[in-house]
PDB file of all heavy atoms in Angstrom:
ATOM      1  N   SER A  82     -14.196   1.481   1.219  1.00 98.00           N
ATOM      2  CA  SER A  82     -14.336   1.617   2.690  1.00 98.00           C
ATOM      3  C   SER A  82     -12.867   1.790   3.161  1.00 98.00           C
ATOM      4  O   SER A  82     -11.843   1.555   2.481  1.00 98.00           O
ATOM      5  CB  SER A  82     -14.975   0.337   3.253  1.00 98.00           C
ATOM      6  OG  SER A  82     -13.947  -0.760   3.125  1.00 98.00           O
ATOM      7  N   GLY A  83     -12.840   2.208   4.444  1.00 98.00           N
ATOM      8  CA  GLY A  83     -11.466   2.247   5.114  1.00 98.00           C
ATOM      9  C   GLY A  83     -10.848   0.935   5.192  1.00 98.00           C
ATOM     10  O   GLY A  83      -9.644   0.748   5.025  1.00 98.00           O
ATOM     11  N   GLN A  84     -11.654  -0.077   5.393  1.00 98.00           N
ATOM     12  CA  GLN A  84     -11.103  -1.428   5.621  1.00 98.00           C
ATOM     13  C   GLN A  84     -10.379  -1.850   4.224  1.00 98.00           C
ATOM     14  O   GLN A  84      -9.297  -2.511   4.320  1.00 98.00           O
ATOM     15  CB  GLN A  84     -12.190  -2.516   5.890  1.00 98.00           C
ATOM     16  CG  GLN A  84     -12.617  -2.509   7.342  1.00 98.00           C
ATOM     17  CD  GLN A  84     -11.498  -2.782   8.315  1.00 98.00           C
ATOM     18  OE1 GLN A  84     -10.999  -2.030   9.144  1.00 98.00           O
ATOM     19  NE2 GLN A  84     -11.027  -4.032   8.285  1.00 98.00           N
ATOM     20  N   TYR A 108      -7.237   0.583  15.312  1.00 91.00           N
ATOM     21  CA  TYR A 108      -8.626   0.311  15.119  1.00 91.00           C
ATOM     22  C   TYR A 108      -8.967  -1.149  15.210  1.00 91.00           C
ATOM     23  O   TYR A 108      -8.186  -1.919  14.660  1.00 91.00           O
ATOM     24  CB  TYR A 108      -9.108   0.972  13.767  1.00 91.00           C
ATOM     25  CG  TYR A 108     -10.524   0.738  13.420  1.00 91.00           C
ATOM     26  CD1 TYR A 108     -11.517   1.344  14.108  1.00 91.00           C
ATOM     27  CD2 TYR A 108     -10.853  -0.057  12.286  1.00 91.00           C
ATOM     28  CE1 TYR A 108     -12.875   1.115  13.714  1.00 91.00           C
ATOM     29  CE2 TYR A 108     -12.189  -0.241  11.840  1.00 91.00           C
ATOM     30  CZ  TYR A 108     -13.130   0.280  12.656  1.00 91.00           C
ATOM     31  OH  TYR A 108     -14.472   0.149  12.251  1.00 91.00           O
ATOM     32  N   ASN A 156      -7.713   4.985  17.386  1.00 90.00           N
ATOM     33  CA  ASN A 156      -9.161   4.816  17.651  1.00 90.00           C
ATOM     34  C   ASN A 156      -9.321   3.492  18.370  1.00 90.00           C
ATOM     35  O   ASN A 156      -9.075   2.430  17.725  1.00 90.00           O
ATOM     36  CB  ASN A 156      -9.997   4.880  16.284  1.00 90.00           C
ATOM     37  CG  ASN A 156     -11.422   4.566  16.536  1.00 90.00           C
ATOM     38  OD1 ASN A 156     -11.922   4.548  17.575  1.00 90.00           O
ATOM     39  ND2 ASN A 156     -12.189   4.343  15.389  1.00 90.00           N
ATOM     40  N   ASP A 181      -2.276   5.112   9.412  1.00 98.00           N
ATOM     41  CA  ASP A 181      -3.648   5.376   9.285  1.00 98.00           C
ATOM     42  C   ASP A 181      -3.927   6.825   9.899  1.00 98.00           C
ATOM     43  O   ASP A 181      -3.753   6.957  11.135  1.00 98.00           O
ATOM     44  CB  ASP A 181      -4.518   4.306  10.030  1.00 98.00           C
ATOM     45  CG  ASP A 181      -6.014   4.452   9.837  1.00 98.00           C
ATOM     46  OD1 ASP A 181      -6.496   5.648   9.755  1.00 98.00           O
ATOM     47  OD2 ASP A 181      -6.752   3.505   9.854  1.00 98.00           O
ATOM     48  N   THR A 183      -6.674   8.717   9.875  1.00 98.00           N
ATOM     49  CA  THR A 183      -8.119   8.933   9.956  1.00 98.00           C
ATOM     50  C   THR A 183      -8.495   9.927  11.029  1.00 98.00           C
ATOM     51  O   THR A 183      -9.183  10.943  10.659  1.00 98.00           O
ATOM     52  CB  THR A 183      -9.090   7.726  10.353  1.00 98.00           C
ATOM     53  OG1 THR A 183      -8.655   6.800   9.198  1.00 98.00           O
ATOM     54  CG2 THR A 183     -10.428   8.010  10.381  1.00 98.00           C
ATOM     55  N   SER A 203      -9.896   6.102   6.673  1.00 98.00           N
ATOM     56  CA  SER A 203     -11.184   5.776   6.464  1.00 98.00           C
ATOM     57  C   SER A 203     -11.874   7.163   6.346  1.00 98.00           C
ATOM     58  O   SER A 203     -11.982   8.028   7.177  1.00 98.00           O
ATOM     59  CB  SER A 203     -11.813   5.178   7.785  1.00 98.00           C
ATOM     60  OG  SER A 203     -13.307   5.215   7.762  1.00 98.00           O
ATOM     61  N   THR A 205     -14.737   7.642   5.687  1.00 98.00           N
ATOM     62  CA  THR A 205     -16.134   7.517   6.379  1.00 98.00           C
ATOM     63  C   THR A 205     -16.186   8.528   7.615  1.00 98.00           C
ATOM     64  O   THR A 205     -17.354   8.835   7.851  1.00 98.00           O
ATOM     65  CB  THR A 205     -16.264   6.172   6.897  1.00 98.00           C
ATOM     66  OG1 THR A 205     -15.959   5.205   5.927  1.00 98.00           O
ATOM     67  CG2 THR A 205     -17.770   5.850   7.341  1.00 98.00           C
ATOM     68  N   LYS A 206     -15.096   8.826   8.173  1.00 98.00           N
ATOM     69  CA  LYS A 206     -15.045   9.614   9.401  1.00 98.00           C
ATOM     70  C   LYS A 206     -15.141  11.147   9.029  1.00 98.00           C
ATOM     71  O   LYS A 206     -15.983  11.600   8.408  1.00 98.00           O
ATOM     72  CB  LYS A 206     -13.863   9.172  10.258  1.00 98.00           C
ATOM     73  CG  LYS A 206     -13.829   7.685  10.449  1.00 98.00           C
ATOM     74  CD  LYS A 206     -14.954   7.046  11.206  1.00 98.00           C
ATOM     75  CE  LYS A 206     -15.033   5.516  11.054  1.00 98.00           C
ATOM     76  NZ  LYS A 206     -13.903   4.812  11.367  1.00 98.00           N
ATOM     77  N   LEU A 215     -19.606   5.542   3.050  1.00 98.00           N
ATOM     78  CA  LEU A 215     -18.360   4.776   3.456  1.00 98.00           C
ATOM     79  C   LEU A 215     -17.278   5.026   2.394  1.00 98.00           C
ATOM     80  O   LEU A 215     -17.589   5.205   1.151  1.00 98.00           O
ATOM     81  CB  LEU A 215     -18.699   3.362   3.468  1.00 98.00           C
ATOM     82  CG  LEU A 215     -19.350   2.714   4.684  1.00 98.00           C
ATOM     83  CD1 LEU A 215     -19.930   1.454   4.389  1.00 98.00           C
ATOM     84  CD2 LEU A 215     -18.265   2.557   5.831  1.00 98.00           C
ATOM     85  N   GLY A 216     -16.117   5.003   2.859  1.00 98.00           N
ATOM     86  CA  GLY A 216     -14.911   5.184   1.926  1.00 98.00           C
ATOM     87  C   GLY A 216     -13.642   5.053   2.545  1.00 98.00           C
ATOM     88  O   GLY A 216     -13.469   5.104   3.756  1.00 98.00           O
TER      89      GLY A 216
HETATM   90  C1  PLP B 501     -13.485   3.430  10.964  1.00 79.31           C
HETATM   91  C2  PLP B 501     -12.005   3.196  10.815  1.00 79.31           C
HETATM   92  C3  PLP B 501     -11.500   2.315   9.935  1.00 79.31           C
HETATM   93  C4  PLP B 501     -12.313   1.420   9.063  1.00 79.31           C
HETATM   94  O1  PLP B 501     -12.972   2.258   8.019  1.00 79.31           O
HETATM   95  P1  PLP B 501     -14.405   1.894   7.444  1.00 79.31           P
HETATM   96  O2  PLP B 501     -14.689   2.996   6.496  1.00 79.31           O
HETATM   97  O3  PLP B 501     -15.378   1.760   8.505  1.00 79.31           O
HETATM   98  O4  PLP B 501     -14.199   0.599   6.721  1.00 79.31           O
HETATM   99  C5  PLP B 501     -10.107   2.321   9.822  1.00 79.31           C
HETATM  100  N1  PLP B 501      -9.311   2.963  10.607  1.00 79.31           N
HETATM  101  C6  PLP B 501      -9.791   3.842  11.524  1.00 79.31           C
HETATM  102  C7  PLP B 501      -8.871   4.651  12.514  1.00 79.31           C
HETATM  103  C8  PLP B 501     -11.165   4.117  11.672  1.00 79.31           C
HETATM  104  O5  PLP B 501     -11.682   4.863  12.640  1.00 79.31           O
END
Side-chain angles (χ1 to χ4, degrees):
S82 66
Q84 283 301 111
Y108 178 66
N156 176 10
D181 181 335
T183 298
S203 165
T205 315
K206 312 296 164 54
L215 276 163

